[in-house]
Amino acid sequence: EKGRDRTLSQFELKKLLKGLPKSKLTPDQQDVLLFTLLTGCRIGEACAMEWKEIHDNEWRQPHSKTKNGRSHIVYLSPPANAILKCHKHAKRYVFHSPTTGTQHLRVDGIEKALRLSLDGLEIQRFTPHDLRRTVASWCGDKGIPETVHDRLLNHYQKSVRKTYNQSKYNKQAKSAWLKWARHITKLQGANSDQR
């Protein structure tokens, strides 16, 4: 992950949410992108998500599949769960590849389709990773502490403070995911009103 500072404005998020159905991304690719936006997860981790990792309203990522090698629990808000329900027909992977039928969607395919869609979406270039930064920036604007951002994004800061403070911030993270999901739902509703 290269250090960039691109985030999407609220206006751009509205455009994205409104324009996705008309974009060059397949419905499955659109779902992965929206799931990434709702959860703040890495798109590669979303693509490789398996049904055995889903438990009630949680996605329990094993340490072997995360970038930093630390297991991560993502609370699934109602809109995130709604996306998963649309993929119940899939076998091993939630977002399986229609081409192979046995593997998951590929990140490079999603990134390519997104690049080809940007003109139609009328949004300046962004990558799926910029959606993570957008989530974290919104949390910061809403006064949600950085410790909770780190928990949402599965970032791990080594510090003396972390040595003593062993809290997982699960309750605070769940609250932040729900607030963010409500915000995204509101933006989608604003789009519906404009149609």
Side-chain angles (χ1 to χ4, degrees):
E1 294 172 2
K2 296 173 185 173
R4 298 191 192 100
D5 58 9
R6 173 79 165 105
T7 61
L8 276 71
S9 69
Q10 300 311 294
F11 181 66
E12 287 177 314
L13 281 177
K14 278 186 191 178
K15 277 186 162 182
L16 175 64
L17 294 166
K18 182 179 181 180
L20 266 182
K22 297 176 271 185
S23 71
K24 296 185 186 298
L25 287 99
T26 66
D28 286 355
Q29 290 174 331
Q30 291 173 40
D31 282 351
V32 173
L33 208 61
L34 187 54
F35 185 84
T36 300
L37 177 63
L38 285 164
T39 60
C41 67
R42 293 176 177 89
I43 195 157
E45 292 169 356
C47 284
M49 179 169 45
E50 299 181 55
W51 282 112
K52 68 180 182 180
E53 298 163 7
I54 308 298
H55 303 272
D56 297 320
N57 293 320
E58 292 179 350
W59 170 24
R60 299 178 189 167
Q61 292 178 274
H63 65 86
S64 58
K65 291 176 74 176
T66 63
K67 185 182 177 192
N68 65 7
R70 291 179 173 273
S71 58
H72 182 46
I73 295 175
V74 175
Y75 178 78
L76 299 170
S77 62
N81 259 324
I83 292 171
L84 298 190
K85 282 179 185 163
C86 293
H87 293 267
K88 277 290 184 188
H89 59 278
K91 293 181 182 175
R92 177 180 175 187
Y93 296 103
V94 175
F95 301 111
H96 74 282
S97 165
T99 310
T100 66
T102 56
Q103 296 302 310
H104 57 74
L105 284 177
R106 291 173 50 107
V107 175
D108 56 351
I110 296 170
E111 290 175 335
K112 181 180 179 183
L114 179 60
R115 279 195 307 274
L116 293 171
S117 299
L118 288 174
D119 284 344
L121 292 170
E122 297 178 355
I123 300 174
Q124 286 186 5
R125 186 179 183 275
F126 74 94
T127 67
H129 188 72
D130 296 327
L131 298 177
R132 279 169 60 80
R133 197 174 296 107
T134 300
V135 174
S137 299
W138 181 86
C139 287
D141 289 343
K142 295 299 174 187
I144 296 168
E146 281 194 43
T147 47
V148 180
H149 305 185
D150 290 343
R151 167 66 183 81
L152 292 178
L153 302 178
N154 196 19
H155 284 165
Y156 182 75
Q157 305 294 335
K158 253 188 167 176
S159 68
V160 173
R161 184 191 72 206
K162 194 67 184 166
T163 303
Y164 289 92
N165 181 1
Q166 295 295 312
S167 174
K168 302 287 185 207
Y169 296 101
N170 289 335
K171 185 178 173 185
Q172 298 92 328
K174 179 179 176 178
S175 174
W177 268 309
L178 286 171
K179 284 178 186 170
W180 173 245
R182 283 194 293 268
H183 177 65
I184 293 300
T185 302
K186 206 177 281 186
L187 291 180
Q188 287 174 311
N191 283 330
S192 303
D193 296 341
Q194 292 167 4
R195 285 178 190 161

